[in-house]
Amino acid sequence: MEPYERVTQRPERRPWVVGVSGASGTPYAAAVVRGLLAAGEAVDLVVSRASRLTLLDETGIKFRDAHWQDDLREWLALGADGKPHFGEAVLDGVRFWPAGDLAAGPSSGSYPAKGMLIVPASTACVAGVALGLSKDLLQRVASVTLKERRPLVVAVRETPLSGQTLRQLVALDEAGAVVLPASPAFYAGATHIQDLVDFVAGRVLDAAGVPHRLYRRWKGELGGARSPEGD
């Protein structure tokens, strides 16, 4: 193909990269992936080695590279209470990259990604991204996302936060990332743990500009959380 041959316009796959670190909060990651797929977005998934231990502890699911589709379907079907709550996910728009594959597509700035969502983000992950360590694919993609000036949302899940971590979060903010603590709110009328998880996931999608209906938005009316939907 000639380099200046006329380019035919065609839809190009431009995924959101979802990075899952080892912090507690795997239901947040599942809710974000479900929200992206419901919005018709493509997803590239990176699951760190540490997060697999957390996922096993929180859900009993062993996430395996060779069987990632089966394991992801099982994960996405679970509600935040650990019980089956959602139907079987269609994974046609999902691509999985092993965390140790530093030659993966998203490791390069030329890979056509929309941006990256790290959900949840551990303090170790925050430190690695803030320092530009790129010790695994998750951190490498985050560094690429920042250098390419693409959206990076870091849903940090830790409490309390040390001064060192706070300084690293400020560094990420100054680099252009959105620092989004996984802090559920109650004004949306939560009646189930899944509602609190969906609120955080919805705020992550808000920061990425992805439409969703995961929580009831504030309309400036006191008591709205106690009113039936649609009032």
Side-chain angles (χ1 to χ4, degrees):
M1 178 182 293
E2 293 296 328
Y4 296 104
E5 183 177 335
R6 185 176 183 276
V7 177
T8 301
Q9 295 295 323
R10 64 186 62 174
E12 181 180 37
R13 184 181 185 275
R14 293 181 61 83
W16 285 97
V17 181
V18 176
V20 187
S21 80
S24 176
T26 54
Y28 292 130
V32 166
V33 172
R34 285 194 297 264
L36 289 170
L37 295 179
E41 298 284 349
V43 175
D44 276 21
L45 184 65
V46 180
V47 180
S48 75
R49 293 178 61 186
S51 70
R52 298 172 194 231
L53 297 176
T54 307
L55 182 64
L56 178 63
D57 186 52
E58 294 183 346
T59 69
I61 296 173
K62 296 180 180 180
F63 197 91
R64 304 158 295 175
D65 289 353
H67 303 280
W68 69 268
Q69 289 180 315
D70 293 335
D71 298 337
L72 181 58
R73 284 194 185 93
E74 183 180 1
W75 181 12
L76 296 183
L78 296 181
D81 58 2
K83 300 177 182 178
H85 184 70
F86 301 96
E88 182 173 308
V90 178
L91 303 182
D92 293 346
V94 180
R95 183 175 294 171
F96 170 74
W97 301 98
D101 185 3
L102 293 178
S107 68
S108 171
S110 65
Y111 187 79
K114 287 185 176 181
M116 184 179 193
L117 315 174
I118 304 179
V119 189
S122 65
T123 53
C125 173
V126 166
V129 175
L131 296 174
L133 297 182
S134 295
K135 72 170 187 176
D136 61 9
L137 182 60
L138 193 157
Q139 292 184 10
R140 171 59 185 168
V141 177
S143 295
V144 167
T145 302
L146 288 175
K147 80 179 182 68
E148 296 294 329
R149 302 296 190 266
R150 296 169 183 162
L152 173 63
V153 182
V154 180
V156 60
R157 216 303 311 160
E158 185 62 84
T159 189
L161 295 172
S162 69
Q164 183 179 33
T165 298
L166 289 169
R167 286 187 288 272
Q168 291 162 347
L169 290 173
V170 169
L172 289 178
D173 175 80
E174 292 175 342
V178 174
V179 176
L180 195 152
S183 302
F186 296 86
Y187 65 78
T191 59
H192 190 276
I193 186 174
Q194 187 64 48
D195 297 329
L196 299 176
V197 168
D198 285 345
F199 178 87
V200 172
R203 296 299 286 151
V204 171
L205 297 179
D206 285 344
V210 176
H212 67 86
R213 299 181 62 185
L214 290 181
Y215 67 87
R216 182 182 302 186
R217 297 184 181 277
W218 174 250
K219 297 181 179 179
E221 300 174 358
L222 293 179
R226 295 186 297 275
S227 300
E229 189 69 47
D231 284 4

